[in-house]
Amino acid sequence: MTQVDFYILAAQTRAEQMLFACRVVEKAFSKGNRVLIQVDDESIARQLDEQLWQFRDDAFVPHTLLSASDAPADCPVSISWHNDPGHHHDVMVNLSSQLPAFFSRFQRFIAVVVQEDQVLDYTRSHYKFLKDRGYPINNIDMRLR
C-alpha cells in the first residue's frame, strides 16, 4: 500500500511550496529514488524545471519534463501535468490540485501543504479521500521545526 506523507509548512505561497518540493525531490533522488512531480499545467512544470536547476548552487537533480520528445526514458526525476506517470512508480510529489488517479501505483506519495486557502482546501479533500480508504498517512508538521 502507498505510504502517504503530508508535509505541512508555515509558508504561505506557492513559490515556497515549489522550493520545499525541490528540497524533498533532491533528498529522494540522493537516496536513489525515482521521482515524479505532478503539477497542474505546463506553465507550472516549466517554472519548476527552472527552479530545480537553480534552487541551490551545490544541488544537482537530473530531471526532465515527462512529455518532452527528447526526455530520456531512464531520467530519475520527471515533471508531469498529464494523466500518465510514464515509467515512474517509486515516489510521487504532488503539487497538483488534483489527486491523480494513478497515485496508488507509487510506493510513496508526498503532498506539500502551504497555508494558502486554495491549497488547504484541496489538500484537506485529498487527505480525507486517502484516510477514508485506509492509506497510512504521516503528517510532518514543519511549522514546529
Side-chain angles (χ1 to χ4, degrees):
M1 182 172 265
T2 303
Q3 170 62 46
V4 178
D5 295 320
F6 280 83
Y7 282 90
I8 304 161
L9 310 182
Q12 298 184 2
T13 68
R14 304 252 179 140
E16 292 167 302
Q17 180 189 40
M18 287 176 57
L19 180 60
F20 188 84
C22 289
R23 292 174 33 211
V24 168
V25 169
E26 179 192 29
K27 186 172 182 178
F29 167 69
S30 73
K31 291 183 175 186
N33 293 298
R34 300 175 67 79
V35 182
L36 175 71
I37 309 166
Q38 188 71 23
V39 297
D40 281 326
D41 59 46
E42 183 177 0
S43 172
I44 296 169
R46 294 196 180 280
Q47 289 174 13
L48 187 57
D49 175 41
E50 281 300 311
Q51 194 159 15
L52 276 168
W53 289 123
Q54 301 173 19
F55 81 100
R56 248 190 41 223
D57 289 342
D58 62 340
F60 176 68
V61 179
H63 65 280
T64 189
L65 298 178
L66 191 59
S67 64
S69 59
D70 61 346
D74 61 346
C75 191
V77 177
S78 296
I79 305 168
S80 179
W81 61 96
H82 302 289
N83 290 325
D84 178 6
H87 63 281
H88 289 280
H89 57 81
D90 197 6
V91 175
M92 173 195 265
V93 175
N94 190 38
L95 299 180
S96 173
S97 60
Q98 303 298 311
L99 182 61
F102 53 80
F103 80 89
S104 62
R105 79 181 266 177
F106 287 82
Q107 293 177 23
R108 187 172 176 207
F109 173 88
I110 298 171
V112 179
V113 184
V114 292
Q115 305 304 306
E116 194 266 331
D117 289 342
Q118 187 179 15
V119 173
L120 290 170
D121 287 345
Y122 70 69
T123 53
R124 284 180 185 126
S125 174
H126 299 171
Y127 184 92
K128 182 177 180 350
F129 178 90
L130 295 163
K131 185 172 177 71
D132 289 350
R133 282 152 185 82
Y135 284 91
I137 297 175
N138 185 25
N139 292 311
I140 304 143
D141 194 340
M142 302 302 290
R143 297 172 296 184
L144 305 174
R145 297 177 186 192

